[in-house]
Amino acid sequence: MAIYHMEAKVVSRGSGRSAVAASAYMSCSRMYNDYDGIQHDYTRKHGLIYQEVMLPPMAPTDWKDREQLWNAVEAAEKTKDSRLAREFVVALPIELDTDSNISLLRDFIQKNFVDLGMCADFAIHDTDGHNPHAHILLTVRPLNENGTWQYKTEKEYLCIKDGKEKGFTAAEFKKAQKEGWEKQYRYQAGKKKIYLTPSAALEKGYERVDKHPKSTRYGRQNPISERWNSEEQICLWREKWADTVNRELECRQIDTRIDHRSFSDQGITEQPTIHEGYIARDMEKKGIISDRCELNRQIRSDNRLLGELKRQVAKLTKSIKESIPAIAEALENIRGTMIIFQYQMLHNEMQTTSAKEWIKMTKPVIEKYKATKQKINKKQEERKVLKTKKQKLSILNPLQHYQLNQQITTLTEDIEELKSKKNFLMGEIYCHNDTEMKNTESTLKQQSAFLEKLAAQRQSLNEQLGKNLKKFIDLKFSVVSEKSEELLDARVSFRDIVRDRIVSRLRDVYGKKFEYDRLNDASDYIDDCIREDPYVFQERARQRAWEQDRRSPHPNIRKNNSKSHER
């Protein structure tokens, strides 16, 4: 079924990545990076379903060629730790065909990225036919109307006027200077160096020691870039993706839906899977009910109830007298005990199904996760070796430098792809980090023991049901046929009392998880086993109530009769 997964990344030189390499990798193409002179060839990579570049109106048309687009991005960034692009990895709904997913993705990218002024390069991958997902690479620097890049940040000078400090960009300072604002520079004041305006320093006779004016540490961010980089915008994009997918699924009359919100935001306080061990107990300490601990508690309660019912049946059998009322009460109590056993059996089956489904869903994901993690570790080790080799290599070997850079870049992109796959797998079983995955892996190992415990309980319940069924039949047929009507009337009088007792006991054991529908299913099953029609008892109860009502005069009638006697 469709799942929600939207992972946001930043492609930066500081992490050893390049925009050209990232684009070549996801589009399975060959691209040359002018910035570092490396040719990236990923034409042998498999899994590509579709790729496209989408541009806003102000972007140069030749940027439709992704190699030119991302080389233009690389050329605009000068520093060794520049942020080059933003990358999103999204899971596509498996319920839709390829054409529908392409249309869905293009619509989302156009409305949420391109219409804001970003250039978008995206590709759809599906290596195994069961995991369609898309990589979306976006520019992070806004464009001017003439197709040139805007600034990301602008120098902001901290100026002084009448003792107040305020920041101005170079363009703003031209006007501010006419209003009396002055830049601040460092001056030598004895043994100290302090910031002063030129006019203030002239009065004191200080000498300027630095030509650079005082400014904010990171400058003033472009308001467009600031909005694109904000946490609020990321959250909005996450929400828009869920809305876009759900709208498409609804239009195609597909019932499944996805939700971008966390469990806490959805109002879900319990984990949707069975947990055990440290994590479950830690949840319990915090006041959160753990399903796994709850199931264990339930089994203990079930076993206590089972023991109690065994003792009561044994005691009841000894105390039966030959009178019809005593036999009727014993029959209804034995029937009630069997209903409780069957209710426990149905609850046990629900627990068993839940555990098996959890194992079926979790086990293959854990196996893929572990394999992916091993690949990541292996490639990280390979990259570390290559980096060490590069550091030791003489600059007189440019060809080897080039080859090593090519290998390191490829490994870096492989690692990023594997990390995205790992995060996707974690999301499939509602985990958010490696620690939660480790706890889930530990839980998986304990599920077989849990299923064995449920199987043992189920066997015990079956044995008790068989014994009680034999007692019921033996006791029922010990009554001669001439007294069957009397026995039926006596059993009718006890039935509601026993049912109330059953409900009370089950509520004590199961609390809020008690279900009337399950109780009714258990009652129907037991009546089938003892070959009795519950409607016969209901009809007899109605008939008795009607006869009793007829024998007892209505209060108004009695009142009228008493008045007539007084006259």
Side-chain angles (χ1 to χ4, degrees):
M1 61 176 290
I3 65 168
Y4 184 88
H5 178 79
M6 188 180 202
E7 180 186 3
K9 301 180 181 182
V10 171
V11 178
S12 71
R13 288 188 184 133
S15 62
R17 300 185 71 190
S18 79
V20 174
S23 177
Y25 189 90
M26 74 177 196
S27 62
C28 301
S29 59
R30 181 170 57 248
M31 292 166 59
Y32 181 80
N33 189 350
D34 294 333
Y35 178 80
D36 56 18
I38 297 177
Q39 178 88 15
H40 302 285
D41 187 352
Y42 299 110
T43 51
R44 295 183 180 180
K45 188 174 179 291
H46 300 290
L48 179 67
I49 303 297
Y50 182 81
Q51 51 79 22
E52 184 181 349
V53 175
M54 299 174 67
L55 302 175
M58 71 286 287
T61 55
D62 57 1
W63 285 2
K64 271 288 186 181
D65 179 348
R66 57 174 47 87
E67 186 174 32
Q68 293 196 44
L69 167 63
W70 295 112
N71 269 307
V73 168
E74 295 273 2
E77 307 300 339
K78 307 301 181 185
T79 62
K80 63 180 180 181
D81 60 349
S82 292
R83 292 158 64 100
L84 303 168
R86 179 176 290 104
E87 182 183 11
F88 284 100
V89 183
V90 296
L92 297 171
I94 199 167
E95 291 83 356
L96 301 181
D97 58 29
T98 300
D99 290 340
S100 300
N101 272 326
I102 292 171
S103 175
L104 167 75
L105 197 58
R106 291 188 87 260
D107 180 62
F108 174 74
I109 291 172
Q110 182 68 48
K111 291 179 179 177
N112 291 278
F113 303 130
V114 177
D115 287 351
L116 293 181
M118 301 179 198
C119 302
D121 182 6
F122 73 93
I124 296 176
H125 294 175
D126 192 1
T127 52
D128 58 5
H130 304 289
N131 179 28
H133 63 282
H135 292 257
I136 309 168
L137 208 59
L138 305 165
T139 52
V140 294
R141 188 184 284 267
L143 284 166
N144 293 309
E145 288 300 321
N146 61 1
T148 58
W149 297 113
Q150 294 184 26
Y151 64 89
K152 284 186 191 172
T153 58
E154 193 173 3
K155 196 81 170 179
E156 186 177 37
Y157 302 108
L158 293 172
C159 303
I160 294 286
K161 176 186 174 183
D162 299 330
K164 292 183 179 179
E165 188 176 67
K166 188 177 179 181
F168 296 96
T169 64
E172 292 170 345
F173 180 69
K174 291 178 181 179
K175 181 181 178 181
Q177 191 175 24
K178 295 176 182 178
E179 297 173 355
W181 291 90
E182 291 185 86
K183 293 180 182 179
Q184 303 176 76
Y185 298 89
R186 294 180 77 184
Y187 290 87
Q188 191 73 45
K191 294 183 178 181
K192 295 182 179 179
K193 294 177 182 178
I194 60 174
Y195 278 104
L196 288 173
T197 61
S199 59
L202 184 61
E203 290 177 5
K204 297 183 179 182
Y206 292 157
E207 183 180 351
R208 193 163 80 178
V209 294
D210 192 346
K211 66 177 182 178
H212 300 290
K214 185 179 181 181
S215 59
T216 54
R217 184 175 181 182
Y218 298 109
R220 185 185 299 178
Q221 193 172 21
N222 186 314
I224 299 175
S225 296
E226 188 174 20
R227 185 171 70 252
W228 291 355
N229 290 325
S230 67
E231 188 65 32
E232 292 78 11
Q233 184 63 61
I234 297 292
C235 292
L236 182 61
W237 282 328
R238 289 175 58 81
E239 180 181 354
K240 292 292 184 183
W241 174 246
D243 292 343
T244 302
V245 172
N246 288 334
R247 188 165 55 249
E248 185 69 18
L249 292 172
E250 185 177 2
C251 288
R252 296 180 181 276
Q253 299 181 336
I254 299 172
D255 291 337
T256 186
R257 296 292 181 270
I258 63 174
D259 199 320
H260 68 286
R261 297 172 298 168
S262 64
F263 291 137
S264 58
D265 289 340
Q266 293 179 51
I268 300 173
T269 57
E270 296 185 22
Q271 293 290 336
T273 52
I274 302 169
H275 289 272
E276 174 60 296
Y278 160 75
I279 191 70
R281 291 191 293 273
D282 190 52
M283 287 169 63
E284 295 278 325
K285 289 176 184 177
K286 294 176 182 176
I288 305 171
I289 297 175
S290 160
D291 285 347
R292 177 62 178 162
C293 291
E294 182 70 10
L295 290 175
N296 284 335
R297 278 195 296 270
Q298 197 66 69
I299 286 177
R300 288 192 289 270
S301 297
D302 287 348
N303 290 338
R304 282 196 296 271
L305 180 59
L306 181 61
E308 178 189 343
L309 292 174
K310 286 181 186 178
R311 290 189 294 272
Q312 287 185 358
V313 169
K315 183 179 179 181
L316 186 65
T317 304
K318 292 180 181 179
S319 62
I320 292 176
K321 298 179 181 178
E322 291 302 319
S323 65
I324 292 299
I327 294 174
E329 183 179 7
L331 286 172
E332 286 304 305
N333 280 328
I334 294 172
R335 175 181 174 272
T337 299
M338 287 192 290
I339 289 172
I340 291 176
F341 285 149
Q342 181 58 26
Y343 185 99
Q344 287 181 288
M345 184 75 78
L346 294 175
H347 187 76
N348 179 291
E349 289 172 0
M350 180 273 294
Q351 290 175 311
T352 301
T353 301
S354 176
K356 286 182 176 179
E357 286 178 354
W358 187 86
I359 291 171
K360 184 179 178 181
M361 177 189 75
T362 306
K363 188 174 181 179
V365 176
I366 290 289
E367 289 173 351
K368 290 179 184 177
Y369 167 83
K370 289 169 70 176
T372 304
K373 200 171 178 182
Q374 287 177 354
K375 288 180 182 177
I376 291 173
N377 293 337
K378 183 179 178 181
K379 287 185 180 292
Q380 285 177 333
E381 190 61 36
E382 288 178 23
R383 185 175 63 175
K384 185 178 178 182
V385 170
L386 290 176
K387 284 183 175 181
T388 303
K389 187 176 179 180
K390 179 186 169 184
Q391 288 172 354
K392 295 178 179 179
L393 189 64
S394 170
I395 58 172
L396 300 176
N397 295 309
L399 180 59
Q400 286 185 301
H401 266 284
Y402 173 82
Q403 291 172 341
L404 286 172
N405 281 334
Q406 217 171 19
Q407 292 172 29
I408 290 169
T409 303
T410 299
L411 283 170
T412 300
E413 291 305 318
D414 285 343
I415 290 167
E416 287 300 319
E417 177 80 1
L418 288 168
K419 283 181 178 178
S420 294
K421 182 180 180 181
K422 187 186 77 168
N423 290 336
F424 182 85
L425 290 168
M426 288 194 291
E428 280 196 77
I429 52 176
Y430 311 102
C431 291
H432 303 89
N433 51 52
D434 290 331
T435 302
E436 290 185 12
M437 285 296 286
K438 188 175 181 180
N439 290 326
T440 305
E441 187 178 348
S442 176
T443 303
L444 185 62
K445 294 176 182 178
Q446 299 167 4
Q447 293 309 296
S448 57
F450 175 61
L451 288 174
E452 287 176 8
K453 185 184 288 187
L454 287 172
Q457 185 195 49
R458 195 160 54 250
Q459 183 178 354
S460 177
L461 288 168
N462 265 322
E463 290 174 358
Q464 291 303 315
L465 270 173
K467 291 177 182 178
N468 280 275
L469 179 61
K470 186 177 184 306
K471 288 180 182 178
F472 181 92
I473 293 171
D474 290 345
L475 185 59
K476 181 180 179 180
F477 285 97
S478 67
V479 179
V480 293
S481 58
E482 289 80 4
K483 293 189 176 183
S484 58
E485 289 295 317
E486 184 183 351
L487 180 63
L488 177 62
D489 286 336
R491 287 183 62 188
V492 167
S493 64
F494 285 112
R495 179 148 295 199
D496 286 342
I497 297 171
V498 172
R499 182 175 173 85
D500 289 343
R501 196 182 303 150
I502 291 171
V503 171
S504 178
R505 284 184 179 178
L506 292 175
R507 280 191 183 280
D508 288 343
V509 173
Y510 296 98
K512 293 181 179 179
K513 292 187 177 182
F514 168 73
E515 295 181 10
Y516 272 106
D517 287 343
R518 189 173 293 160
L519 174 61
N520 292 333
D521 289 342
S523 299
D524 291 343
Y525 177 82
I526 295 303
D527 286 334
D528 283 343
C529 289
I530 60 179
R531 298 181 181 180
E532 289 186 345
D533 187 352
Y535 294 106
V536 172
F537 287 80
Q538 294 170 12
E539 188 61 34
R540 194 54 171 264
R542 282 195 291 269
Q543 185 180 351
R544 288 186 60 187
W546 179 78
E547 290 176 354
Q548 186 176 1
D549 187 58
R550 194 179 67 170
R551 286 196 299 268
S552 302
H554 196 276
N556 290 334
I557 296 175
R558 286 200 302 268
K559 186 175 181 180
N560 291 334
N561 287 341
S562 63
K563 285 183 178 180
S564 62
H565 284 305
E566 287 175 4
R567 293 193 189 98

